Amino acid sequence: MTKPHIVILGAGLGGTIAAFEIKDAVGDKADVSVVNRGDRFHFVPSNPWVAVKWRTRDAIEVDLKPVFKRKGVAFYPMGAKSIAPHENKVTLTSGLDLAYDYLVIATGPELAFDEIEGFGPEHFTQSVCHVDHALAASDVFEAFAKDSKPIVVGAVQGASCFGPAYEFALILDTELRKRKLRDKVPMTFVTSEPYVGHLGLDGVGDTKGLLESELRQRHIKWITNAKVEKVEAGLMHVDEVNEDGSTKAHYELPFGFSMMLPAFRGVEAVRGHEGLTNPRGFILVDKHQRNPTYPNIFALGVCVAIAPTGKTPVPVGVPKTGFMIESMVTAIAHNFKLILAGKAPTHEATWNAICLADFGDGGVAFFAQPQIPPRNINWSASGKWVHLAKVGFEKYFIGKVKSGKSEPFYEKLALDLIGAHKIK
């Protein structure tokens, strides 16, 4: 009999680990394939370091071809052009149709720079969402350092990933102080969040107090409830919004360097299928990470549709953090074991969050259980140890990818000790 074929779309933080863990779970009972645009894994959390040349591209990337070959996972690095859920197939950019019995969507997002005039790396602002963007930003920053002007950093309306914006603002502050240039560079943090430290999660522990304190101590001004109207060369037009959505104030912010995180949407290959995605193209899933309309399709990571934590004057999305994504991976892998045994899936991801936000000379860490409030654990802390922990985690995670392992026993033991379980 032909083995069931599991196809995983995407080989980022979630998709790569999913390939390892699902293959380990199903063994020789199913064939596993990965489709990705490109043959390299990039450790996205290190992109802010790349943007100030604290890391090189080579230091944060892994060639996936030999890793997947060792794991017995087929790899298609040409990427997907489209999917046909009714026909159970993925059409690759090469024109090849890849049939599947089960599909795991882990594509990550499409970056919606085009929703704001003059926005994004092709225009007037930089990005750390992709290593290519971070490398381009590093060259722009080097040129900026020779002729220092104001800096604007933050996240626009509809954004859901706020941690890297805070990280990068404070990393820039650290780097400018190292270069003895900080006194020449006014900085403004612009965010769609209703308050500093909201993070799309209505805060975690005292992230409001901790992050406000960091910005205040480093002389970084901030504008919350901010909506970026348009960006011109060296000038950002920003409206500050009242609780009722009316305009409270308008700002024209001059800048010599700006990094603003965009809103996300689902990638083109999966958008537009009724019952599969919401209007933004994010994948609809049930508590088992399975799509209700197409029960042989699962999804994990940033591409999953999650409702906002509450109403805000400016649209704010919910972040999908690393540990939360890994919990989705584990739930799906465990459910595949049941499905291949002829049983119904029962495992649910905990969606807990463990985050390290590095500032170059310190940082903020938080643990939310679960990530979406109300929570059983709601903890945050700051200190120089966070920077060291982030460096250690970078080395550890890249090592996991190189070795083809999703969760060594000592990682599970450590997480169990602190109560950070991946499945309920």
Side-chain angles (χ1 to χ4, degrees):
M1 294 178 62
T2 304
K3 294 180 184 178
H5 187 200
I6 301 170
V7 173
I8 300 167
L9 278 188
L13 286 171
T16 300
I17 295 300
F20 302 157
E21 194 157 341
I22 290 171
K23 183 60 181 175
D24 288 343
V26 303
D28 61 0
K29 295 180 180 178
D31 293 323
V32 178
S33 298
V34 174
V35 177
N36 188 60
R37 292 197 178 227
D39 57 12
R40 302 271 166 169
F41 168 87
H42 301 103
F43 188 66
V44 173
S46 293
N47 284 346
W49 292 340
V50 173
V52 291
K53 297 190 184 297
W54 293 359
R55 289 291 186 278
T56 63
R57 183 189 192 111
D58 290 345
I60 67 162
E61 73 176 11
V62 178
D63 183 356
L64 290 172
K65 296 190 299 295
V67 180
F68 285 143
K69 186 176 181 179
R70 288 198 311 270
K71 292 292 292 186
V73 172
F75 187 38
Y76 299 86
M78 66 285 293
K81 179 181 179 181
S82 63
I83 65 171
H86 289 290
E87 302 175 55
N88 293 337
K89 73 176 183 180
V90 176
T91 299
L92 307 183
T93 58
S94 64
L96 175 70
D97 285 337
L98 194 63
Y100 64 80
D101 296 286
Y102 301 97
L103 180 66
V104 179
I105 301 176
T107 57
E110 183 175 284
L111 310 175
F113 293 117
D114 60 302
E115 294 181 345
I116 299 173
E117 181 184 344
F119 182 47
E122 294 185 0
H123 297 285
F124 306 118
T125 62
Q126 307 305 311
S127 163
V128 293
C129 295
H130 191 279
V131 67
D132 291 343
H133 296 163
L135 286 167
S138 71
D139 292 335
V140 175
F141 179 71
E142 287 303 316
F144 160 85
K146 297 173 184 176
D147 182 21
S148 302
K149 295 176 182 178
I151 283 178
V152 178
V153 175
V156 306
Q157 56 271 24
S160 58
C161 188
F162 296 93
Y166 287 101
E167 279 193 308
F168 194 57
L170 298 169
I171 284 170
L172 285 174
D173 171 83
T174 300
E175 179 63 16
L176 289 168
R177 282 188 282 112
K178 287 179 180 178
R179 299 189 187 204
K180 310 297 183 186
L181 294 173
R182 183 65 182 89
D183 60 316
K184 300 178 181 179
V185 181
M187 292 181 66
T188 305
F189 189 80
V190 175
T191 178
S192 53
E193 299 162 276
Y195 58 83
V196 167
H198 180 279
L199 301 172
L201 297 169
D202 201 10
V204 181
D206 190 30
T207 50
K208 182 179 189 294
L210 291 171
L211 289 170
E212 276 192 0
S213 178
E214 287 285 349
L215 295 179
R216 198 176 289 113
Q217 288 179 22
R218 296 170 187 250
H219 305 284
I220 300 174
K221 297 179 180 180
W222 65 80
I223 303 170
T224 54
N225 282 328
K227 182 180 180 183
V228 177
E229 291 296 328
K230 67 176 181 178
V231 186
E232 300 173 337
L235 188 67
M236 187 176 298
H237 297 262
V238 178
D239 284 342
E240 184 181 1
V241 175
N242 287 309
E243 290 299 314
D244 63 0
S246 62
T247 300
K248 178 179 181 180
H250 178 77
Y251 302 87
E252 293 184 356
L253 303 176
F255 64 86
F257 181 88
S258 176
M259 194 295 296
M260 297 290 292
L261 297 178
F264 295 159
R265 61 186 172 224
V267 301
E268 186 177 0
V270 304
R271 289 200 305 263
H273 296 284
E274 187 176 351
L276 179 65
T277 67
N278 70 8
R280 290 288 293 181
F282 294 111
I283 310 300
L284 302 168
V285 296
D286 63 15
K287 62 184 180 180
H288 305 303
Q289 303 300 135
R290 187 167 65 165
N291 179 256
T293 304
Y294 302 98
N296 64 332
I297 296 180
F298 294 76
L300 62 95
V302 182
C303 68
V304 168
I306 300 178
T309 56
K311 187 177 180 181
T312 54
V314 181
V316 169
V318 176
K320 289 88 171 184
T321 56
F323 188 79
M324 180 188 192
I325 293 171
E326 289 196 63
S327 77
M328 297 180 191
V329 168
T330 298
I332 291 172
H334 280 64
N335 282 329
F336 270 129
K337 270 188 176 181
L338 294 173
I339 290 168
L340 294 182
K343 301 176 182 178
T346 60
H347 296 286
E348 301 176 37
T350 56
W351 287 18
N352 295 333
I354 302 173
C355 284
L356 301 169
D358 169 64
F359 304 155
D361 55 358
V364 169
F366 66 81
F367 179 23
Q369 187 187 72
Q371 178 169 291
I372 309 299
R375 304 182 178 106
N376 295 313
I377 296 176
N378 192 40
W379 172 88
S380 60
S382 63
K384 293 185 182 298
W385 64 272
V386 179
H387 171 70
L388 299 174
K390 182 70 175 278
V391 172
F393 179 69
E394 173 199 53
K395 306 300 182 191
Y396 174 71
F397 199 96
I398 292 173
K400 282 207 304 183
V401 173
K402 288 180 177 178
S403 65
K405 295 179 180 178
S406 64
E407 186 183 60
F409 77 91
Y410 45 83
E411 177 184 331
K412 186 177 187 306
L413 178 62
L415 292 172
D416 286 346
L417 287 172
I418 65 171
H421 307 295
K422 290 182 178 178
I423 55 176
K424 294 181 181 180

